Amino acid sequence: MTHPRDLRDYERFPALHELLDAYAETGYAFTDTADEPGPALQSYARIAVQSPGRLHMLISEINDLVRLGLFSADIADDVDLLPRIKPPAGRTVEQCLEVAKIHLERIASGAPFAQTAHPQNPWEWRKRFPELHQLLGSYFHQDFSLDYASHKEALDDYLTGSDEEALKRAAMEIHTLLSTIETDRELSVATDALGLEVVPPKNVTLRQWLSDIRSIIIHRLRGSPERTQSR
């Protein structure tokens, strides 16, 4: 089974779409004030600052949309693709985006903003660990038993359908996750957010299973025989 990773390269407002997805995850409402960015904008900023130019791209897209107007016929099809986020009473979507833009410009210029040890919502987890989300969410989902006869079969499907760079990212992300998450409960919360909807193989802990998957991926990258059973 293969799944498209991202179709937003074809959109006019891909960065804005991503931002609005963050708002959708935290209640489909703009919660930023003139003094402080809300949880969604803070989550977005923590992800965006890791990619040079990402904040500036978003600011440019907001300027583009506000200049044309949300209801402009010229961008109607593009706007129709965006998540519907509700503005507070008495404010428009454009006004909310202008407030968000002010915070984004401050952050882009180096102003401090809220930092956290771990992602604060499923959207942020998925953006922080995109390849692990692809692996867990697309191959170990709620219909897992309809698509695969075993965990090994699902993992083999992922390995076959992923290129070398994707496998390297997956191995790195698993290492980062396991080295930064200390408790089993926190690990369960993280993997739930990343799309895992099945339990690990019988008599294997979640941490050990993820470690096993990483070992298999590394051996695959090295062209070595798998020494750890994928069960």
Side-chain angles (χ1 to χ4, degrees):
M1 176 184 296
T2 58
H3 301 265
R5 281 178 163 75
D6 201 342
L7 297 177
R8 292 184 186 166
D9 289 343
Y10 303 100
E11 295 186 20
R12 180 167 180 161
F13 303 108
L16 181 56
H17 194 149
E18 184 178 54
L19 172 66
L20 296 181
D21 274 344
Y23 284 100
E25 191 70 48
T26 55
Y28 283 91
F30 289 104
T31 57
D32 313 305
T33 67
D35 296 324
E36 184 177 4
L41 191 56
Q42 291 177 15
S43 284
Y44 178 86
R46 284 191 289 270
I47 297 299
V49 295
Q50 300 174 30
S51 301
R54 200 164 177 176
L55 288 174
H56 294 292
M57 178 181 176
L58 173 59
I59 291 167
S60 177
E61 288 183 11
I62 292 176
N63 285 334
D64 188 22
L65 185 145
V66 171
R67 175 180 60 83
L68 293 169
L70 187 65
F71 299 104
S72 168
D74 292 340
I75 58 173
D77 290 342
D78 300 289
V79 169
D80 193 51
L81 297 173
L82 298 174
R84 299 292 191 268
I85 309 302
K86 299 177 182 177
R91 294 169 63 188
T92 66
V93 170
E94 289 97 331
Q95 289 172 334
C96 292
L97 290 175
E98 289 280 16
V99 171
K101 188 183 75 170
I102 292 172
H103 292 300
L104 293 166
E105 289 173 335
R106 290 172 180 166
I107 293 168
S109 68
F113 64 100
Q115 300 290 344
T116 60
H118 302 304
Q120 297 300 294
N121 55 63
W123 180 90
E124 193 174 349
W125 278 110
R126 295 192 298 268
K127 292 297 179 178
R128 177 68 180 81
F129 297 94
E131 191 58 36
L132 190 50
H133 170 51
Q134 169 69 11
L135 168 57
L136 298 180
S138 296
Y139 295 86
F140 297 96
H141 46 72
Q142 62 181 355
D143 293 327
F144 163 82
S145 60
L146 300 178
D147 295 327
Y148 305 107
S150 66
H151 292 72
K152 181 181 186 304
E153 185 178 325
L155 182 58
D156 286 344
D157 193 14
Y158 169 75
L159 294 172
T160 300
S162 302
D163 60 24
E164 182 176 347
E165 287 304 311
L167 295 179
K168 288 180 179 178
R169 288 195 300 270
M172 179 187 67
E173 289 178 12
I174 293 174
H175 172 74
T176 300
L177 184 71
L178 296 181
S179 62
T180 57
I181 300 295
E182 296 182 355
T183 70
D184 292 343
R185 181 181 179 281
E186 290 175 328
L187 186 60
S188 179
V189 169
T191 52
D192 283 351
L194 291 169
L196 179 64
E197 295 184 305
V198 301
V199 297
K202 187 176 181 180
N203 298 324
V204 180
T205 66
L206 176 57
R207 186 174 294 272
Q208 183 60 57
W209 181 54
L210 291 173
S211 180
D212 287 349
I213 290 176
R214 180 173 182 270
S215 295
I216 291 168
I217 292 173
I218 290 173
H219 287 308
R220 175 71 168 243
L221 288 168
R222 292 174 179 171
S224 303
E226 297 173 2
R227 299 174 185 174
T228 306
Q229 292 185 1
S230 54
R231 302 176 175 86

